[in-house]
Amino acid sequence: MFELTGKTAIVTGAGSRNGIGRATALALAKQGADVAVCDLNLEGVQETAKEVKALGRRSIALQVDVTSPESVEKVVQTVVKEWGRIDILANIAGITQPIKVIDTTPADFDRIVAVNMKGTFLFSKAVLPTMMAQKSGRIINMSSVSAKRGGGVFGGAHYSAAKAGILGFAKALAREVAPYNITVNSVAPGLVLTDIRGGIEPEEEQKKMAADIPLKRLGKPEEIAATICFLASDEAAYITGEEIDINGGSHMD
Ligand SMILES: NC(=O)c1ccc[n+]([C@@H]2O[C@H](COP(=O)([O-])OP(=O)(O)OC[C@H]3O[C@@H](n4cnc5c(N)ncnc54)[C@H](O)[C@@H]3O)[C@@H](O)[C@H]2O)c1
């Protein structure tokens, strides 16, 4: 089950040591996929690419700014030139900012929306010609519990808005590209133990953060990566326009 041998993937935001992007790249590779990894952090993706290769898969490490159409197009064209196809796109790159609306500047708002939401749009658009020609593809987007529960975990209203925007975008795109056998889904994690909040929190702090989470702990990047692998697999072929919550029970729809 969930075999990805012979498939090629692009994972954005894969340069962070403890991040969901790197965990996703490694999980896809373990299932058999070749994985192109990209991030603002070139050194970080070069390390991730080494780990993917150590698993016996092909990898390409590329620097990208997901807010730049030219930069995104360059990554996609490089992968198409090298590997000839793109089966899976995991839009993981993202940033957050813990701030109240009253203190948020228009520039803060634009930056959070650009990295999280516009980046998802730009990468999805860039892979579509290839996936449509193949008549197959999987796009998996990164939302957040903040999109659905009215924020309040970490990140401002602009982050909630961007992550909710991703859900709307994914559903509309799912309808649009379904005739090409391309599925578009999202994952909505709760608090995950990564560096996004400025570093892994000490254990005491983690306990406090987890106090209101029914499962009483933060999520692990590998737990998000596993769901992304599932959505990328043949077994998930009939799931599209869906979002999967992975949050320890902190929000239940
Ligand atoms: N950690 C959590 O609790 C949590 C919860 C819900 C959703 N998320 C989402 O998961 C995704 C991954 O977050 P993470 O926790 O692994 O964080 P992380 O900070 O470890 O990784 C994010 C990566 O995105 C990259 N990035 C930032 N801006 C970029 C840009 N303009 N272009 C290219 N790459 C860029 C960073 O360099 C970094 O490597 C994000 O979209 C985040 O919003 C995280």
Side-chain angles (χ1 to χ4, degrees):
M1 297 258 278
F2 317 135
E3 177 67 41
L4 299 175
T5 302
K7 311 247 189 226
T8 61
I10 298 179
V11 180
T12 76
S16 170
R17 176 76 249 156
N18 302 306
I20 297 168
R22 178 171 293 184
T24 299
L26 297 179
L28 291 168
K30 279 181 194 155
Q31 295 311 114
D34 295 324
V35 190
V37 285
C38 57
D39 199 294
L40 267 183
N41 175 355
L42 179 60
E43 250 178 57
V45 276
Q46 285 169 338
E47 273 179 43
T48 308
K50 263 192 221 158
E51 292 177 37
V52 169
K53 287 180 186 165
L55 291 165
R57 317 288 12 142
R58 293 184 294 175
S59 189
I60 308 172
L62 297 160
Q63 190 167 39
V64 76
D65 176 356
V66 297
T67 68
S68 154
E70 296 77 25
S71 177
V72 168
E73 194 58 41
K74 207 167 144 196
V75 167
V76 170
Q77 286 317 317
T78 304
V79 176
V80 170
K81 193 165 157 232
E82 294 284 322
W83 293 347
R85 58 185 294 118
I86 302 168
D87 298 296
I88 301 156
L89 167 66
N91 281 314
I92 312 286
I95 53 169
T96 186
Q97 184 187 26
I99 192 169
K100 292 192 186 319
V101 171
I102 198 162
D103 299 319
T104 302
T105 65
D108 290 332
F109 189 92
D110 287 348
R111 189 169 53 92
I112 292 291
V113 169
V115 177
N116 291 288
M117 194 163 76
K118 187 177 173 192
T120 297
F121 154 67
L122 289 176
F123 250 104
S124 303
K125 178 178 162 70
V127 300
L128 282 182
T130 305
M131 289 187 175
M132 286 163 79
Q134 290 166 189
K135 287 226 178 312
S136 71
R138 294 276 195 278
I139 299 176
I140 298 128
N141 298 319
M142 180 56 71
S143 182
S144 163
V145 70
S146 304
K148 302 169 77 179
R149 72 182 288 279
V153 176
F154 194 91
H158 52 356
Y159 181 75
S160 293
K163 292 302 192 184
I166 287 171
L167 295 179
F169 175 78
K171 285 172 199 278
L173 180 61
R175 276 187 201 278
E176 196 177 302
V177 298
Y180 299 91
N181 191 32
I182 300 167
T183 66
V184 187
N185 293 292
S186 309
V187 292
L191 282 170
V192 183
L193 211 46
T194 72
D195 292 326
I196 197 167
R197 293 171 296 273
I200 302 279
E201 292 83 4
E203 242 170 69
E204 269 316 299
E205 181 66 21
Q206 287 178 36
K207 270 192 202 149
K208 278 191 216 156
M209 292 164 80
D212 293 334
I213 301 173
L215 285 175
K216 295 289 172 225
R217 66 172 177 86
L218 274 61
K220 300 175 193 159
E222 295 74 20
E223 291 170 324
I224 315 307
T227 303
I228 293 172
C229 279
F230 165 63
L231 289 170
S233 73
D234 288 346
E235 285 77 4
Y238 204 51
I239 302 175
T240 197
E242 184 52 88
E243 68 221 29
I244 300 188
D245 291 332
I246 315 163
N247 62 30
S250 62
H251 174 79
M252 302 180 192
D253 277 335

